[in-house]
Amino acid sequence: LQLVQILASQAASALANAGLYRTLERQAITDGLTGLYNHRYFQENLALEIFRSKRYAKTFSLVFLDVDFFKQYNDTHGHLHGDAVLVALSKLLIAGLRKSDVAVRYGGEEFVLLLPETPKENAFAVAGTIREKIAAHPFPGRETQPQGKVTVSMGIAAFPEDGSDGPTLLHHADDALYQAKHRGRNRVC
């Protein structure tokens, strides 16, 4: 009986440690506020997707997105409300994606979507739908924003059309994002 108790105690300890390890592993690759994947996880997945796409002659797309006038929202409503917008926006992103897609909080109010086996024209359709859902979402305080709503601008780049390495693809997606900003925001370029 003593031996069984010792073994049960050891097994319980091992299970608790395994659970803690899984929790720490998840925390290492996700953003603490939004629950989306973080920059580090994205870089690793981007490299893997480039390798896979080269090997199997596949395409994929990146969507870089930024919340329009987010500083103005934070200045008007405070950072806690701004954080709530980022959390709600993250849920809208996830709802608009497939299980194979990767949504990342890149930094601040910037996000990246990695869409495996998705040509640029399909990425435009996905991004456009997500953009419309975000613009239609009843975010608290949206009426104080330009156009009376919280909006995002998006830029798209595709492999291999816009680049065959991570930095080049990100550069092209970022340039397209800035085109969207310069063309009036709340759009996909």
Side-chain angles (χ1 to χ4, degrees):
L1 184 59
Q2 251 182 344
L3 180 59
V4 169
Q5 287 175 332
I6 291 170
L7 290 175
S9 174
Q10 296 252 338
S13 179
L15 287 173
N17 286 341
L20 179 60
Y21 178 79
R22 279 191 300 277
T23 299
L24 290 173
E25 189 174 49
R26 177 83 178 145
Q27 288 175 348
I29 61 172
T30 57
D31 175 62
L33 176 66
T34 63
L36 297 179
Y37 290 109
N38 63 20
H39 189 270
R40 184 177 123 216
Y41 181 85
F42 167 69
Q43 293 296 339
E44 291 170 2
N45 262 282
L46 179 58
L48 181 62
E49 195 58 41
I50 290 169
F51 173 79
R52 188 178 340 194
S53 294
K54 283 180 180 177
R55 181 173 182 166
Y56 298 108
K58 300 283 186 181
T59 189
F60 70 89
S61 293
L62 289 181
V63 180
F64 218 133
L65 70 111
D66 182 75
V67 181
D68 297 326
F69 303 106
F70 192 64
K71 180 180 181 340
Q72 177 181 324
Y73 186 92
N74 273 341
D75 289 348
T76 303
H77 302 285
H79 291 330
L80 291 178
H81 289 282
D83 285 353
V85 165
L86 297 177
V87 170
L89 187 138
S90 298
K91 290 178 183 175
L92 291 169
L93 293 177
I94 293 297
L97 297 177
R98 305 168 297 183
K99 289 190 186 283
S100 59
D101 299 332
V102 177
V104 176
R105 183 172 182 202
Y106 197 75
E109 73 276 6
E110 294 177 330
F111 299 84
V112 176
L113 308 176
L114 174 60
L115 310 175
E117 295 188 31
T118 305
K120 191 183 280 189
E121 53 276 0
N122 293 24
F124 267 102
V126 169
T129 300
I130 290 171
R131 184 196 58 76
E132 290 170 4
K133 287 185 179 183
I134 291 169
H137 189 76
F139 292 100
R142 68 190 174 281
E143 63 281 348
T144 65
Q145 290 295 96
Q147 302 176 345
K149 53 191 167 187
V150 173
T151 62
V152 295
S153 296
M154 300 179 165
I156 297 176
F159 173 92
E161 176 181 342
D162 296 314
S164 59
D165 62 78
T168 303
L169 286 167
L170 282 168
H171 176 75
H172 281 282
D174 195 38
D175 281 351
L177 168 65
Y178 279 99
Q179 284 179 20
K181 294 279 189 186
H182 291 296
R183 292 182 184 173
R185 295 182 166 86
N186 190 24
R187 67 187 65 234
V188 180
C189 289

